[in-house]
Every structure is written in C-alpha cells, then in structure tokens.
C-alpha cells in the first residue's frame, strides 16, 4: 500500500487583501490575478499564463487597486499582493478600461469566427461578450496578411488574428529554450513570425497552439476537423513515454481528433512534446491490425519463403497459440515486451506467464534498459524532488530532450529559473548542456571511473581525457551540496545503447556510495516500463516489487510460481537463437527495431519454434510471427499507468478499437481459459482488485481513489534493497578504433511515429558524429562517406564533425529510416568498438 508519511503541520503565512469588499487570503509574493482567481474572482486576461513570467502586454487585466496612495488602474498580472491592498474588479473605471482594451484589440482583428479553428473555445470571443463594448466605432480597413503561413510542418500562423499577447514567444524562449519565433516590424504591422530561413523547428511547438488565446496559431492535424461543441473529452495519460503526461483526449464521431496537455502540477505542467501531442494519428491509422492472423504452418518449422500470414478467427488463432504454449515446457517459454500495456494488462500477463505457464523468462525491457532490481532498489526520487529549487541534478543517462520531452521542460525550468545546479556525465552534448554547471564527456564504460575521480580516488591524470580540474570541480559541487543538506537527484538511464547496462550500473552505485542521501529518478523511456516492473514483468519479480521468495503473497490466487529466476531480455534472445525457446510471446515488442543488437534479434526470431505477437501494427517483427493477435491502443481501453517516479494515473477509453482487436488483459484471460486456467477477471476493476489484494504497495488503489486523483495521480512509494551485481570488466581501449555511442532522438522510424502523418517525415537521418581531433587523427574529412566496422557488421555512413561528443567515440542515432545502426552493436560486450575504413 502507499506509505503514510506523517507530515509536520507548517503554518503558511498569508497576506490579507480586500477584493470587491471581501477579505481574501493571498500567499506572500502571489500575483493579484492568481490570488483573485483562487478565491473565486476571475479577472480577464490574454497574456497572463500561470506557468510563464508575467509581462503585462495585453492590459486586459487592469483593475482598480489602492495600496494606500489612492485607487489607480494597475495590471493585476504584474502586481504582487501586499498587506492592506484594496482591489475593485467591478468599478466603472475598471469596466471602462477593459471595454477600451477590447475595442482596440478588435480594431484589426478579423471577424472570421465562423471559419476560425478557435471559434467556440476562444477567450477573445468570451471576453468580448462578457467585458467588451458590443459594437465597434472603427470603420477603417483592417490589416491583411498572407494566410496561413506554416511556421513549421504542424503549426500554421494567421498573423492578422494575432493580438500580440506574447504567449507563444515567451513559451518558445522561457519554457522550451527554442527562441525561433518572435515579434517583427513595428506599429500596426507588428507581427509574430519566424526568422528568415529558420522554421520553428522545436520539439514543443504544439504548445504554442494550445496557449494561444485566439486563432493565430493552429495545429495542422486539427485544422478544420471539428468544432469544440462537436468534441467529447476525457482526461487520460499519455502512454508514449514513461513521463506519463496528463492529457485530454478529444474525439468526434468516434475518432480521436486532438490531444491537449492538462496541467498536472506534479508531472507535466500542461506541456507536451509534439510527439506526444500528434501521435494520436497512429492509433487511427488504416494499417492498424484489425483481426488475428496465422501462418499456414504455424506449428511447423518456418522458412524465409514459407506461407504468409492470413486472417483467421479469434477462436482459431487463440487455439493455435494455446496449443503451442501447452506443448512447451515452462523453461522453453518466454515473454518479451509489455511496456505498451496498462498496469492491469501487465498484471494479467504476469499471472498467465508466471502463475499459469510457470516461466520466469519474462522481461518488459528489450535489452535497452537497466536491471529491474537496480531501478527498484535505489532510493527513488519524484519529478518535484528532482526539480527542487536550489537542488543538484546529476545526469547519468540519455538526453531528456530527445527521449522524455515533458520531463526535459521541467528540468530546464528548474535549472534556468529555479537555481538548480546540473552536472552532466554523458558521452555527448545534450539539450541541457548549455545550462550545466559541469558537463563531463564520459566515454562508454568509464562512468564508475569518472565518479571515483570526481571524489579524489581516480587517476591524477584524469579519466578518458577529462581534465583533473573539471573532475575535481564537479566533485566539490556535489560535496558542498551534501554538506549543506541540498537535495541531490541522479537521473539514471542508458546513455548509449552500444554500452551494456553493467558500466552504467557501476557508475550509479558509485554515486550512491559517495552520495548516500542522493535519490534516483529513472530515465527508462519505454512507455509503462515502470508499471511492468511493479506488475512482475521482469525476471525474479512478482507484483508489488516482491521477489520470487515472497510467493506467499500470490499463493491464494496464482496456481503456481516459478522456482528460479529466469532470463532477462538478452538472455531470452540468446536462448531463442540457440533453439532453446519453443514459444516466444511478443507483447508489443518490435525486436528488429528496438533491440540494440539486430543480429541477435534476427537469430532469436529464426531460432524460436513458434512466435506469438500481440501488437497494434504489422511491423517487420510481426511479419515473422506465426500467430498475430491484434490489441487495442491507449485511447481504446480503460486502465492505469505508472510513470517513472512511481505515480499511478488513469488511462481512459474514448473511442472504439478497430475490427475485432481486444484489450491485452482480455487476450491473456482467453489464452488461460484454453490452457485450463481461470485468471478470474471479467473487467479491469477485477484485475485492479486482485492487484490491491496481493500487493501492499497498491492496496489503496481503487476505482474511487483513482477517480478522486485523476489529475495528479497517486504516488506509490516503497523500495527494495539495493542490488549490487558484480562490477563489469571493460576491456582497454583499442588505439586504432572508436567506442560507439548510439542513442535515440525524438523522431525516428518507430512504428507510432511512422504511422503519424504529422511526425513521419521529421526523422533527421543518420550521420556519424566524431570529435574534430579524432577526425584529424584518422585523416577523415567532414562529409566523407566511411565504413564503420564492428565485430557484428559494417555500415556506410556520412561523417560530421561534432565537438559535443567525447574524444575517442563516434556517435550515431538509433532507429533512423535510412540506416540500421543496431547492425553494429554487440549486446554481449560491455562496449562496442568500431574501426573506421575509408572508401
């Protein structure tokens, strides 16, 4: 169950002010506009946004304020509450000022509400009706601009509608740090626009559409699709990555038309990456799997030229899958994937795999994460703790801007605006490097050595080319933070897919040893992967972060429990490649694209006797399966989701799934029934009730408590002992080669991005980034095509000079449409070395 922590009662000082004759309690330093709204008095506004700094641009929030020197009109968005302040929001002077502001705003604003996408949800419309003059005294011609102009491929700008509120430009500069859109020209020709030849190429551009108070900025995927009164809405959770951003899912005529960010104070503050915002297009794509499929010789040996997949009834497909599972010993059954699913579906599959089939060869990660026992054992941080003003953040992981966009915005705000200190231990420059106090380029395999050197126990000559003074300065910053009692949070993940989990874990444990008060925030990116670990979809674990030794927890409801810890993902793939797996079940797992070692994934698919794929799309991996079962997407089922800090939130069904696709938990129930077992679930609530019964961590999760915490979710707290695997031995450097760094970027060839029309063309492609001195050392010119040769294979790629990568490394992007970089990676090695061959 959730831990009850007794919090001391702290009296928060208040500032008493008078609003329209009534006494109101404000917080010290609180803006007047926010204090009034919090206490039930709405002051109209256009430029004000609670998540951005006030600028007082629009003057719509003028109210009559007396601070002791007589009443005067003042912008309430710029005024902090002070004791004895008297405010009149309904005086004649206030009303006339608001009336005048609206009249001036409408001088040039076009009256095209019937064709404007903002019509029906437009603050300008609403406030004109509530506070405006009702008619205009101006008869002059309004200004005209070419319309619309695309500021990027997904955001269109109608400049004549702009009221110069500065929201979009402030978001771009203050929040996202992508100041690519700004005011231009003067007087009546002032407009918002991008700089010449520089599109608004931001990962977060869609937020400007949502914060725009008029129809100046519109989203291309939603443009002219529906009116607000046509839309039905539910609050849900984005399952695209592990941040678990709160979203509003809006649909019309049983089709999702828009995702909007919801302001959850603990998570995403209302912000979304464009990938989260526009990925809904994939869920409605015509290529979605709509019915089961079977290969002609599903139970026989397969060949590359064997029978193709053909549609089949559910009864037949489930029968074939159940027959294969029934015929295989538990030790020769494996389940990979599951991070796409809800907690309830993950629990149902964990019960089927471990409690019915008896196999512990189960892993929701695909060889690209960290051991579950390490993630769950290290002291856990929340997003709020990581972003504590004045705290210290240590980044030992991937670039949050590329992999966890909404978290990046929170972290950036903490560092840029709240005085948090950032220390980077990464193999290449990240989106946060410009704001880091110390940015150390750590070569793959060297994390533990760098941490030791930071605290004075490393080589006096430095580690992997990092100067001694930089190492000492970073260590001193951390030591000072610990001495002062400042919170230290380590952001932990895989900085490179070409580096095994071992060296990263060694670095994390070294930080834990030197910083015993530090907490850790996981940067594992894959959807509901943290829920999967909590539900038992990891080797050696049962639901509720329990080990197999705690089998008594589930004894009353699970028929059996595995006797020994099974293989993780790489172990499963290795066993399958060796012909030791009879049935390989893939739960939304695209092995060929997602497993770092493509050769191993190929061999595993070929070596497994029967492959059962439960998925949304017919990926290259699904095309090699013997049984294909179509599942539903996150907008098509109810359930819960656990984010990277352990916060459980609601996933809400909004539309009907295509064809005969079924929820993942229902597929598990059907398979169990054909295996002679009853999982005991007839609904999502049944699964949740059993989870609460077997897991003390989840004992307080009920439909009622979840409904009461839809916006913020429920934080599940609890930890296990810190696991300490044996240190990883990393071979010495090859003087002629380079260590490979492979990471992900926001846009790639992933199945959801590829099936979202707004995102599919945004993948940047592959170039090999090499530090300039390494280019000179190898005699390579920028732009030259070279061979990169590893023990696994060879690829041809264009080389680019990149001063942001560590010396002695070469950087590549994973899963790009032009090149299969994972053909180079050897997952069995701590690091992957490559040599450069000139053509």
């Amino acid at each position: 169950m959730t831990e009850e922590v007794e919090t001391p009662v702290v009296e928060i000082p208040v500032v008493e002010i008078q609003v329209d004759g009534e006494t109101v309690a404000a917080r010290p330093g609180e803006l007047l506009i926010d204090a009034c709204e919090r206490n039930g008095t709405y002051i109209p506004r256009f430029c004000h946004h609670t998540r951005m700094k006030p600028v007082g641009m629009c003057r719509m929030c003028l109210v009559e304020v007396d601070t002791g020197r007589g009443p005067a009109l003042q912008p309430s968005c710029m005024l902090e509450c002070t004791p004895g302040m008297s405010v009149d929001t309904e005086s004649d002077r206030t009303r006339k000022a608001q009336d005048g502001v609206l009249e001036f705003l409408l001088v040039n604003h076009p009256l095209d509400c019937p064709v404007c996408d903002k019509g029906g949800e437009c603050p300008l419309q609403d406030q004109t009706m509530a506070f405006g003059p009702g008619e205009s005294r101006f008869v002059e011609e309004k200004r005209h601009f070419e319309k619309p102009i695309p500021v990027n491929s997904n955001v269109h700008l109608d400049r004549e509608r702009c009221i110069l509120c500065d929201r979009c430009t402030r978001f771009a500069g203050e929040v996202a740090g992508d100041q690519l859109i700004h005011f231009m020209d003067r007087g009546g020709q002032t407009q918002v626009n991008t700089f010449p030849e520089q599109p608004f190429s931001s990962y977060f551009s869609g937020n400007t559409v949502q914060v725009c108070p008029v129809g100046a900025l519109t989203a291309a995927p939603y443009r002219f699709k529906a009116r607000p009164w046509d839309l039905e809405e539910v609050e849900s959770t984005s399952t695209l990555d592990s941040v678990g951003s709160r979203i509003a899912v809006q649909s019309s005529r049983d089709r999702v038309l828009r995702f909007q960010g919801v302001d959850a104070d603990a998570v995403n503050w209302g912000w979304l990456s464009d990938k989260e915002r526009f990925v809904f297009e994939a869920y409605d794509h015509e290529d979605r799997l709509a019915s089961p499929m079977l290969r002609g010789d599903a139970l026989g040996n397969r060949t590359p030229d064997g029978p193709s997949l053909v549609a089949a009834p559910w009864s037949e497909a489930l029968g074939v899958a159940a027959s294969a599972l029934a015929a295989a010993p538990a030790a020769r059954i494996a389940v990979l994937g599951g991070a796409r699913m809800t907690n309830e579906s993950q629990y149902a599959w964990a019960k089927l795999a471990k409690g019915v089939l008896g196999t512990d060869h189960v892993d929701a990660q695909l060889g690209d994460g960290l051991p579950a026992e390490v993630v769950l054992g290290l002291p856990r941080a929340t997003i709020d703790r990581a972003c504590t003003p004045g705290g210290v953040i240590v980044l030992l992981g991937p670039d949050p801007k590329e992999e966890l966009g909404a978290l990046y915005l929170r972290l950036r705000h903490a560092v840029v605006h709240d005085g948090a200190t950032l220390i980077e231990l990464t193999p290449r420059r990240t989106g946060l490097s410009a704001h880091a106090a110390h940015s150390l380029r750590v070569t793959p395999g060297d994390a533990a050595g760098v941490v030791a050197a930071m605290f004075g126990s490393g080589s006096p000559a430095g580690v992997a080319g990092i100067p001694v003074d930089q190492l000492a300065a970073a260590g001193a910053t951390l030591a000072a933070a610990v001495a002062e009692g400042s919170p230290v949070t380590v952001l932990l993940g895989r900085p490179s897919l070409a580096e095994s989990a071992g060296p990263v874990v060694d670095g994390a444990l070294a930080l834990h040893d030197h910083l015993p008060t530090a907490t850790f925030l996981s940067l594992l990116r894959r959807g509901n992967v943290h829920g999967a670990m909590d539900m038992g979809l990891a080797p050696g674990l049962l639901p509720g972060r329990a080990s197999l030794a705690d089998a008594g927890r589930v004894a009353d409801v699970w028929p059996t429990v595995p006797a020994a810890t099974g293989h993780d993902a790489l172990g499963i793939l290795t066993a399958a490649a060796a012909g030791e797996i009879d049935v390989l079940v893939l739960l939304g797992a695209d092995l060929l694209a997602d497993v770092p070692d493509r050769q191993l994934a190929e061999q595993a698919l070929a070596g497994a006797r029967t492959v059962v794929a439960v998925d949304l799309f017919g990926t290259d991996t699904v095309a090699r399966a013997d049984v294909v079962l179509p599942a539903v997407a996150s907008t098509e089922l109810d359930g819960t989701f656990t984010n990277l800090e352990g916060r459980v939130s609601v996933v809400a069904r909004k539309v009907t799934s295509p064809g005969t696709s079924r929820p993942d938990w229902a597929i598990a129930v059907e398979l169990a029934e054909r295996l002679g077992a009853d999982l005991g679930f007839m609904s999502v609530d049944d699964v949740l009730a059993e989870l609460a019964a077997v897991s003390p961590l989840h004992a307080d999760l009920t439909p009622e408590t979840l409904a009461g915490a839809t916006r913020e979710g429920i934080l599940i707290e609890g930890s296990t002992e810190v696991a300490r695997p044996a240190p990883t031995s990393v071979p010495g450097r090859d003087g002629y080669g380079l260590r490979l760094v492979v990471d992900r970027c926001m846009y790639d060839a992933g199945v959801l991005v590829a099936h979202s029309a707004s995102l599919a063309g945004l993948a940047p492609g592959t170039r090999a980034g090499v530090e300039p001195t390494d280019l000179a050392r190898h005699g390579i010119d920028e732009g030259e095509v070279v061979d990169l040769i590893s023990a696994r294979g060879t690829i041809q790629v264009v080389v680019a000079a990149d001063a942001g990568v560590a010396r002695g490394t070469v950087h590549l992007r994973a899963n790009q449409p032009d090149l299969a970089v994972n053909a180079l990676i050897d997952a069995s090695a701590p690091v992957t070395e490559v040599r450069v061959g000139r053509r």
Side-chain angles (χ1 to χ4, degrees):
M1 61 183 175
T2 53
E3 293 182 352
E4 296 291 338
V5 180
E6 190 170 328
T7 305
V9 177
V10 179
E11 290 192 11
I12 301 175
V14 297
V15 175
E16 288 191 349
I17 62 175
Q18 294 289 318
V19 177
D20 298 334
E22 295 185 5
T23 301
V24 166
R27 304 182 182 109
E30 187 175 18
L31 294 175
L32 176 58
I33 191 172
D34 293 330
C36 288
E37 182 173 13
R38 189 170 50 79
N39 286 278
T41 301
Y42 180 80
I43 299 176
R45 81 292 300 268
F46 292 114
C47 68
H48 177 66
H49 191 285
T50 56
R51 296 300 186 185
M52 292 186 278
K53 293 180 180 177
V55 289
M57 291 283 290
C58 71
R59 318 308 278 186
M60 188 65 211
C61 68
L62 287 171
V63 291
E64 204 165 9
V65 181
D66 186 353
T67 57
R69 294 179 293 181
L73 288 173
Q74 299 190 53
S76 57
C77 74
M78 299 290 290
L79 199 62
E80 292 186 0
C81 296
T82 57
M85 176 184 286
S86 178
V87 183
D88 192 340
T89 69
E90 298 177 345
S91 70
D92 290 341
R93 292 180 67 190
T94 297
R95 291 294 190 186
K96 184 165 181 59
Q98 294 169 348
D99 185 296
V101 169
L102 280 165
E103 187 173 16
F104 275 114
L105 287 178
L106 293 171
V107 167
N108 273 313
H109 193 85
L111 300 180
D112 61 350
C113 301
V115 296
C116 177
D117 268 327
K118 200 74 172 181
E121 57 181 7
C122 176
L124 182 58
Q125 280 184 330
D126 297 340
Q127 293 181 35
T128 298
M129 293 294 293
F131 306 99
E135 61 181 346
S136 175
R137 292 175 291 174
F138 289 86
V139 296
E140 289 78 14
E141 180 74 8
K142 295 176 183 287
R143 66 179 182 175
H144 299 283
F145 291 108
E146 175 188 353
K147 61 176 290 184
I149 59 172
V151 293
N152 64 30
S153 60
N154 290 321
V155 178
H156 290 180
L157 171 63
D158 291 84
R159 289 169 289 175
E160 73 279 11
R161 294 176 182 162
C162 178
I163 60 172
L164 306 181
C165 70
D166 202 24
R167 278 192 179 189
C168 60
T169 57
R170 278 184 291 151
F171 172 84
E174 289 179 21
V175 181
D178 300 323
Q179 190 67 78
L180 299 169
I181 184 169
H182 215 288
F183 291 126
M184 295 181 178
D185 295 334
R186 292 185 176 184
Q189 293 299 306
T190 303
Q191 58 180 288
V192 165
N193 212 330
T194 58
F195 296 102
E197 308 302 325
Q198 293 187 32
F200 188 22
S201 53
S202 170
Y203 290 161
F204 311 100
S205 63
N207 293 285
T208 63
V209 176
Q210 185 168 338
V211 301
C212 180
V214 291
L217 291 166
T218 54
Y222 177 72
R223 194 174 172 89
F224 304 134
K225 292 291 178 61
R227 288 299 190 188
W229 52 84
D230 295 328
L231 298 175
E232 297 176 340
E233 175 181 300
V234 295
E235 281 196 20
S236 188
T237 302
S238 171
T239 62
L240 183 68
D241 62 34
S242 60
V243 178
S245 298
R246 300 299 183 272
I247 58 173
V249 180
Q250 299 178 340
S251 70
S252 178
R253 300 176 297 280
D254 204 32
R255 290 187 62 187
V256 175
L257 297 182
R258 186 166 64 174
F259 282 176
Q260 294 279 70
V262 170
D263 194 341
D265 192 64
V267 188
N268 61 312
W269 285 10
W271 310 132
L272 298 176
S273 69
D274 287 358
K275 188 174 178 181
E276 291 173 287
R277 186 176 298 275
F278 300 127
V279 75
F280 71 87
E281 294 176 314
Y283 301 147
D284 190 42
H285 199 279
E286 60 184 6
D287 288 347
R288 279 281 302 275
L289 295 174
S291 65
M293 291 187 290
L294 285 175
R295 194 173 300 280
D297 58 348
L299 291 178
N301 294 322
R302 288 174 288 121
T303 65
D305 300 322
S308 60
L309 289 166
V310 295
W314 270 99
S315 58
E316 186 177 349
L318 289 169
V320 171
S323 296
L325 291 168
R332 298 181 67 88
I333 299 173
V335 178
L336 273 178
R340 170 184 57 76
M341 304 188 304
T342 62
N343 290 330
E344 291 77 8
S345 292
Q346 290 167 346
Y347 179 85
W349 272 96
K351 185 175 182 179
L352 172 62
K354 299 189 176 188
V356 175
L357 298 172
T359 180
D360 196 53
H361 302 326
V362 177
D363 199 351
Q365 302 186 69
L366 300 179
D368 56 354
L370 297 171
E373 61 272 16
V374 173
V375 175
L376 298 178
L378 289 168
R380 205 159 186 173
T382 63
I383 295 174
D384 279 344
R385 177 180 168 84
C387 298
T388 300
V392 178
I393 302 168
V394 181
L395 175 58
L396 177 60
D399 185 351
K401 186 174 184 179
E402 299 289 349
E403 299 201 14
L404 299 166
L407 176 63
Y408 161 78
L409 296 181
R410 289 290 311 272
L411 295 169
R412 184 183 184 278
H413 186 278
V415 175
V416 175
H417 301 294
D418 289 341
T421 300
L422 174 66
I423 299 173
E424 286 190 330
L425 307 177
T426 58
R428 68 181 301 270
R429 184 179 177 85
T430 76
L432 291 168
S433 293
H435 313 295
H438 308 283
S439 193
L440 308 183
R441 298 284 81 87
V442 179
T443 305
D446 290 343
V450 168
V451 172
M454 285 167 52
F455 292 96
S457 57
S459 167
V463 177
I466 304 174
V468 175
D469 59 338
Q470 292 186 21
L471 292 165
T477 298
L478 285 170
V482 172
E484 295 168 3
S486 298
V488 178
T489 304
V490 179
L491 308 179
L492 179 62
R494 286 277 285 277
S496 169
L497 299 179
E499 176 184 20
S500 72
V504 182
V505 170
D506 293 343
L509 293 177
L511 284 169
H512 178 62
D513 292 339
H514 288 286
L515 304 167
T517 61
T519 54
F520 291 74
L521 183 63
S522 166
L523 295 188
L524 299 181
R525 62 175 280 278
R526 193 177 297 283
N528 195 17
V529 65
H530 299 88
M533 290 187 283
D534 282 356
M535 297 305 113
L537 286 184
L541 290 181
L542 295 174
R545 305 174 192 170
S547 68
L548 294 180
D550 298 320
R553 284 193 183 182
V554 297
D556 292 338
V557 290
W558 284 29
T560 187
V561 171
T565 301
H567 297 312
D568 63 3
L570 293 179
I572 289 170
L573 295 173
T574 302
E580 298 171 3
I581 299 296
D582 288 343
V583 183
L584 178 61
V585 180
L586 304 178
L587 304 178
D590 187 0
L591 302 186
L592 298 178
D594 291 337
V595 171
D597 189 333
R598 184 181 177 90
Q599 184 182 107
L600 179 60
E602 296 258 11
Q603 292 172 347
L605 287 172
R609 186 164 182 263
T610 300
V611 177
V612 179
V614 182
D615 218 318
L616 304 178
F617 290 94
T619 63
D620 290 343
T621 300
V622 169
R624 304 192 186 195
D626 302 291
V627 183
V628 179
L629 304 175
V632 303
S634 60
T635 55
E636 300 157 3
L637 83 166
D638 294 313
T640 58
F641 177 97
T642 304
N643 80 345
L644 47 74
E645 59 184 344
R647 190 177 300 275
V648 178
S649 57
V650 170
V651 175
R653 179 180 182 270
K654 189 67 202 70
V655 293
T656 306
S657 58
T660 61
S661 54
R662 298 182 181 180
D664 299 276
W665 67 266
I667 296 173
V669 169
E670 292 271 9
L671 281 172
E673 183 179 348
R674 282 166 171 75
L675 292 168
D678 181 4
L679 294 188
F681 308 139
M682 296 294 290
S683 68
V684 169
D685 288 348
D686 291 341
V687 186
L688 191 63
E690 183 170 304
L691 171 64
V694 302
S695 168
L697 294 177
H698 299 86
D700 293 339
L701 285 187
T702 65
E704 292 73 29
T705 58
L706 288 166
T710 300
R711 182 66 54 87
E712 300 297 329
I714 298 173
L715 184 63
I716 302 297
E717 297 178 305
S719 61
T720 59
E721 293 184 7
V722 179
R724 288 192 170 273
T728 302
S729 176
V730 179
R733 285 182 176 78
D734 181 343
Y736 296 97
L738 299 170
R739 285 191 179 172
L740 185 61
V741 175
V742 177
D743 60 12
R744 299 182 179 90
C745 65
M746 181 70 75
Y747 303 119
D748 55 20
V751 64
L752 293 180
V753 171
H755 287 88
S756 299
S758 301
L759 307 175
L762 300 179
T766 308
R767 294 172 73 86
V770 180
E771 205 274 334
T773 58
D774 286 327
L775 279 182
R777 180 165 64 91
H778 285 83
I780 302 169
D781 298 323
E782 184 169 13
E784 185 176 345
V785 178
V786 301
D787 291 333
L788 289 184
I789 308 164
S790 77
R792 279 286 196 255
T794 301
I795 63 172
Q796 288 77 46
V797 64
V798 177
V799 173
D802 186 351
V805 304
R807 289 186 181 181
T809 68
V810 55
H811 168 255
L812 296 168
R813 293 292 198 193
N815 201 20
Q816 292 297 302
D818 58 340
L819 198 59
V821 172
N822 59 353
L824 290 177
I825 299 174
D826 181 359
S828 65
V831 295
T832 296
E833 297 271 357
V834 297
R835 297 203 177 201
V836 182
R838 303 190 67 183
R839 308 196 76 203

